[in-house]
Amino acid sequence: MAGGIQLSRLAAVGGYSALSAAAGVASSKPSAAATEGASKQTNLCTAVNDALHIALDANPRALVFGEDVSFGGVFRCTVGLKERFGAARCFNTPLSEQGIVGFGIGAAALGCTAIAEIQFADYIYPAYDQIVNEASKYRYRSGGAFNCGGLTVRAPYGAVGHGGHYHSQSPEAVFTHVPGIKVVMPSGPYEAKGLLLAAIRDPNPVVFFEAKMQYRTVVEDVPKGDFELPLGVARVAREGSDITLVGWGQQVGVLERAAAEVSEADSISCEVIDLRTLIPWDRAAVEASVSKTGRVLVSHEAPVTSGFGAEVVAAMSARCFLRLEAPPARVCGYDTPFPLVFEPLYLPTQQRVVDAIRATCNF
Amino acid sequence: MQRSCFLINLHSAARGQLRAPAQSPWRTAGRAARGALHVAAAEKKQKLMWEALREAVDEEMEADPTVCLMGEDVGHYGGSYKVSYDLHKKYGDLRLLDTPICENGFMGMGIGAAMTGLRVIIEGMNMGFLLLAYNQISNNAGMLHYTSGGQYKVPVVIRGPGGVGRQLGAEHSQRLESYFQSIPGVQLVACSTVANAKALLKSAIRSDNPIIFFEHVLLYNVKGETIDGYCQPLEKAELVRAGRDVTILCYSRMRYVVMQAVQQLEKQGFDPEVIDLISLKPFDMKTISDSVKKTKNVIIVEECMKTGGIGASLSSVINESLFDYLDHQVIRLSSQDVPTAYAFELEAATIVQPEQVIEAVHKVVGAPVPA
């Protein structure tokens, strides 16, 4: 058991970048040769930092604020912003998530591009009412006269190995039932930079979850300059024909590794889809894939009951009902608070995904 | 015993069989007079849902001195929907606690009180305001039993009116069941009739788990009968109508929307099975799967919005576990993914209407054969 735990953590630390760089996985990332000199090896926190620098440089009304962002942030994502753009554009807030988002909504309503940081996604709930009752309804209830589209709320989410209840949560599900906002979850540094720039510039309030475990552990080629990736469009991370694996955020890496394992061991060909945006989600891309493969498996760290996987499975079961060869599968966290010592048992690890792929393909 | 015999006889009387008990003072009265008295007494037995909820609270508070109720205007004002009407006169200002307008604060206070020995009912004046207390509900109420290795229990009942009313606007028409469903550690219950409202609330108050108890703004004045002393199991669904063609799963006010559609569907020759979920978390998969195995078709009718709603969760579980039984994809009839409009026509257009249920049954079972 102990060996198993060590192994999965090592895999998480080193596996992602090794896999995507070496395994010839289909992706939308530009090849290093084509963009020689124009990209560099970047980890997630630096990619986010780059995006914030670019956003503030391009737009004089862009602000970054949150707890401890002024000195560079507890995850170092806001390093250098105050020094470069001044304390009026990068500043600390009190320990009040409700206030941070409320202030952001107000600033955005007056035309600022307000980029708020919530220190851990587990703390986003005090701001939940502001997001659900204010930000998401602003444009609608004013008949379009006002909006807070300039608001982006960034928060680090997800398992980190030792986070326990309040430093590991994946709260995306409760934001996906909210019309009026967008929810974006990048799967790595390249995706994060492009999606964050798109999110900041999107004329709608966006909640942006970054996988905290990837801040330092995942490194890949990221373009140095300004670029955007489209919101609402999924990415086919790996092409395949036997089963569609759907994920987002850091779970995409787990799905890619599981796909490689079953390709090697069982000759099962998996198609891996990185949703990127949860609302609005790219239903058409997933449907096209499931229509091709006839099997679907959705995986996320958040608890299984009423996680976003439920919506994906429900939609695919309806739209691809006659095409499905096997029941849809969900490999997710269990319906318990996020544990501390039991984290390796709780997480939807590569082993659990592989088991579910095999069970679904052998139905 | 005497009283329940009396009630049973009244019930028979209502069905046209006059049978006065031996000690009844009416035995010597004329048949017509007896009839009138029986009808009057039968009418007296009908209660409004808010009265039934109030009875549940009153009975539990009387039986157990640790039960208390807190929220905005629950004390002297008697509750915005009268669920605690005049209870403060009986139990005092501390057991019927008027709180400031601070949902996060009094939710935390209620949870703390529950951890230290009280059984707390926390009322949200409207469910939508409980979003302010989301952190307390999710990170505290849902977790503390687990975090403390079982040393603390959190016996709270978080209740209040939710759902789409009549032109209350977006912020006062929220359906929070979808937001709460993914929180581990809380139980979700939705009442729908006068009988189950009282019986479920009694059970909820007696339960040691944190329970979110969904009432509906438009159902407080629904009339019905209660069953004395009955505590309904919180995890069981209710079979509203047995049938063979299709399983219609619904909850709260949608039960009435579905039954309205059923009146039409019966005339058209359909035989739907209607199940009121009652327990939104956990789902009563025994009742649901028995039904799906019989009818092979499922329609979920919910008032929450489609994306990521209760229906999404329920549909996934049905597809995962009953894949081979389904003859048709699971249909979800839900509210539109928009904030609820204020304008009457727009509001009506965003929620499920009986015509949609009828159309869905036609789609799933087959249109009625013209006579």
Side-chain angles (χ1 to χ4, degrees):
Chain A
M1 180 61 82
I5 293 167
Q6 289 304 318
L7 198 63
S8 66
R9 285 172 73 171
L10 280 171
V13 165
Y16 181 87
S17 57
L19 185 79
S20 53
V25 163
S27 91
S28 60
K29 297 170 210 216
S31 65
T35 56
E36 203 184 280
S39 66
K40 65 176 167 80
Q41 285 278 295
T42 313
N43 64 20
L44 180 63
C45 75
T46 308
V48 169
N49 187 247
D50 281 353
L52 294 174
H53 273 270
I54 290 168
L56 265 62
D57 194 32
N59 178 355
R61 300 203 74 181
L63 314 169
V64 168
F65 51 92
E67 293 159 18
D68 300 315
V69 301
S70 190
F71 88 100
V74 293
F75 291 108
R76 320 304 291 138
C77 293
T78 51
V79 165
L81 293 174
K82 187 191 94 175
E83 289 75 14
R84 190 168 162 205
F85 301 105
R89 293 183 64 195
C90 177
F91 50 90
N92 287 344
T93 60
L95 215 171
S96 169
E97 286 73 19
Q98 186 179 19
I100 293 169
V101 175
F103 168 80
I105 292 169
L110 294 175
C112 291
T113 296
I115 307 165
E117 177 178 301
I118 300 289
Q119 200 161 85
F120 283 84
D122 315 54
Y123 313 152
I124 203 168
Y125 303 119
Y128 192 66
D129 174 76
Q130 285 292 320
I131 295 170
V132 173
N133 271 334
E134 304 297 334
S136 74
K137 296 177 169 59
Y138 222 80
R139 176 179 279 123
Y140 186 95
R141 75 176 184 213
S142 69
F146 306 107
N147 73 79
C148 59
L151 175 69
T152 303
V153 179
R154 293 177 39 244
Y157 90 96
V160 72
H162 47 269
H165 290 349
Y166 306 114
H167 297 82
S168 320
Q169 289 178 40
S170 301
E172 71 271 13
V174 302
F175 292 97
T176 57
H177 321 313
V178 185
I181 58 171
K182 293 190 179 181
V183 178
V184 179
M185 295 179 74
S187 54
Y190 173 89
E191 293 285 312
K193 183 174 175 180
L195 290 171
L196 183 55
L197 283 165
I200 290 168
R201 291 159 182 172
D202 191 275
N204 292 294
V206 179
V207 180
F208 192 88
F209 290 115
E210 299 157 6
K212 69 174 83 70
M213 183 146 73
Q214 293 189 342
Y215 277 139
R216 278 191 233 321
T217 62
V218 177
V219 178
E220 59 188 6
D221 266 344
V222 179
K224 289 178 189 166
D226 189 347
F227 76 102
E228 287 181 35
L229 292 170
L231 300 188
V233 176
R235 167 179 76 102
V236 179
R238 179 190 178 108
E239 281 183 17
S241 56
D242 294 332
I243 179 171
T244 301
L245 311 180
V246 183
W248 47 88
Q250 65 182 1
Q251 195 62 15
V252 176
V254 176
L255 295 180
E256 287 177 311
R257 289 195 292 282
E261 184 180 330
V262 299
S263 167
E264 178 81 33
D266 311 89
S267 302
I268 296 176
S269 162
C270 302
E271 182 145 293
V272 178
I273 295 189
D274 172 6
L275 269 192
R276 288 165 157 175
T277 306
L278 301 194
I279 46 167
W281 65 290
D282 193 349
R283 202 173 288 128
V286 182
E287 188 182 336
S289 177
V290 178
S291 298
K292 180 172 70 163
T293 63
R295 294 177 188 86
V296 63
L297 182 154
V298 187
S299 188
H300 55 71
E301 281 179 25
V304 60
T305 296
S306 203
F308 193 64
E311 174 61 34
V312 176
V313 162
M316 289 305 109
S317 302
R319 294 170 92 99
C320 303
F321 183 72
L322 293 172
R323 180 66 188 90
L324 285 173
E325 301 287 335
R330 285 184 290 168
V331 183
C332 309
Y334 296 112
D335 286 326
T336 73
F338 197 101
L340 179 60
V341 74
F342 298 126
E343 179 175 319
L345 299 172
Y346 172 91
L347 284 178
T349 53
Q350 182 176 334
Q351 190 54 59
R352 279 178 60 197
V353 175
V354 163
D355 287 348
I357 293 171
R358 289 175 176 150
T360 306
C361 289
N362 294 326
F363 180 72
Chain B
M1 243 321 100
Q2 183 86 5
R3 192 158 162 240
S4 56
C5 287
F6 177 71
L7 289 172
I8 290 165
N9 283 330
L10 273 179
H11 206 67
S12 322
R15 277 184 264 129
Q17 300 159 37
L18 284 169
R19 224 178 22 207
Q23 280 112 334
S24 167
W26 306 339
R27 238 184 132 192
T28 50
R31 194 183 175 94
R34 270 212 299 270
L37 276 168
H38 275 288
V39 165
E43 271 177 351
K44 212 166 62 176
K45 224 188 64 166
Q46 291 268 312
K47 282 174 199 132
L48 300 174
M49 192 184 282
W50 68 263
E51 289 174 314
L53 292 164
R54 183 185 179 281
E55 268 182 25
V57 174
D58 192 6
E59 283 170 19
E60 294 305 304
M61 286 185 80
E62 182 151 2
D64 181 351
T66 65
V67 177
C68 56
L69 174 68
M70 58 181 67
E72 293 157 20
D73 289 330
V74 300
H76 288 238
Y77 188 74
S80 49
Y81 289 91
K82 298 195 283 244
V83 172
S84 49
Y85 190 72
D86 271 2
L87 289 180
H88 75 286
K89 290 183 185 163
K90 192 169 167 188
Y91 299 109
D93 288 341
L94 220 44
R95 285 183 78 190
L96 266 303
L97 187 68
D98 279 324
T99 63
I101 304 175
C102 180
E103 283 73 14
N104 198 39
F106 64 75
M107 186 67 63
M109 185 169 76
I111 291 167
M115 286 166 68
T116 49
L118 298 182
R119 308 194 80 84
V120 189
I121 308 163
I122 306 167
E123 178 174 309
M125 195 183 264
N126 185 287
M127 274 276 174
F129 307 150
L130 295 183
L131 295 179
L132 288 156
Y134 197 92
N135 182 59
Q136 288 289 346
I137 296 170
S138 171
N139 277 337
N140 286 335
M143 287 199 192
L144 284 165
H145 183 64
Y146 183 98
T147 322
S148 67
Q151 291 177 77
Y152 286 121
K153 52 184 178 129
V154 188
V156 291
V157 177
I158 299 164
R159 47 160 293 275
V164 176
R166 292 269 182 268
Q167 296 192 263
L168 296 178
E171 288 84 357
H172 298 82
S173 311
Q174 312 250 39
R175 283 79 69 195
L176 298 204
E177 51 271 21
S178 42
Y179 304 140
F180 288 125
Q181 212 201 15
S182 51
I183 303 174
V186 294
Q187 212 173 327
L188 307 185
V189 175
C191 65
S192 49
T193 64
V194 174
N196 69 34
K198 179 176 178 184
L200 289 167
L201 187 53
K202 283 173 76 78
S203 298
I205 295 167
R206 293 183 191 192
S207 167
D208 281 346
N209 292 322
I211 294 174
I212 307 182
F213 191 89
F214 294 94
E215 298 157 10
H216 196 287
V217 274
L218 293 181
L219 295 182
Y220 283 113
N221 290 329
V222 156
K223 277 206 183 109
E225 291 169 14
T226 56
I227 304 164
D228 277 348
Y230 177 51
C231 289
Q232 187 165 330
L234 295 169
E235 297 89 7
K236 272 201 64 69
E238 262 180 38
L239 180 66
V240 184
R241 181 192 189 283
R244 300 218 58 87
D245 290 344
V246 56
T247 298
I248 306 181
L249 303 168
C250 57
Y251 63 93
S252 190
R253 196 180 79 86
M254 287 294 121
R255 173 183 175 140
Y256 297 90
V257 170
V258 168
M259 291 313 288
Q260 208 181 324
V262 163
Q263 282 177 0
Q264 270 297 99
L265 288 164
E266 279 170 348
K267 290 190 197 128
Q268 293 170 351
F270 291 97
D271 186 23
E273 177 146 298
V274 180
I275 292 179
D276 185 337
L277 293 171
I278 301 290
S279 179
L280 303 183
K281 182 170 185 175
F283 292 129
D284 178 3
M285 283 316 293
K286 175 78 179 61
T287 306
I288 294 168
S289 57
D290 284 348
S291 178
V292 175
K293 285 175 182 170
K294 180 172 66 168
T295 66
K296 320 281 199 280
N297 295 309
V298 183
I299 297 172
I300 299 171
V301 183
E302 55 179 353
E303 200 173 53
C304 59
M305 294 181 282
K306 180 171 234 130
T307 299
I310 297 286
S313 184
L314 186 50
S315 166
S316 314
V317 175
I318 290 173
N319 275 289
E320 284 168 355
S321 56
L322 297 162
F323 183 75
D324 277 335
Y325 290 96
L326 292 171
D327 279 351
H328 190 280
Q329 70 249 33
V330 174
I331 294 202
R332 288 185 282 165
L333 297 177
S334 332
S335 294
Q336 301 288 328
D337 283 316
V338 288
T340 311
Y342 170 75
F344 184 78
E345 295 81 2
L346 289 179
E347 181 185 71
T350 62
I351 55 178
V352 179
Q353 302 295 343
E355 298 72 48
Q356 287 166 264
V357 179
I358 294 169
E359 196 186 313
V361 172
H362 289 185
K363 194 164 152 192
V364 166
V365 182
V369 177

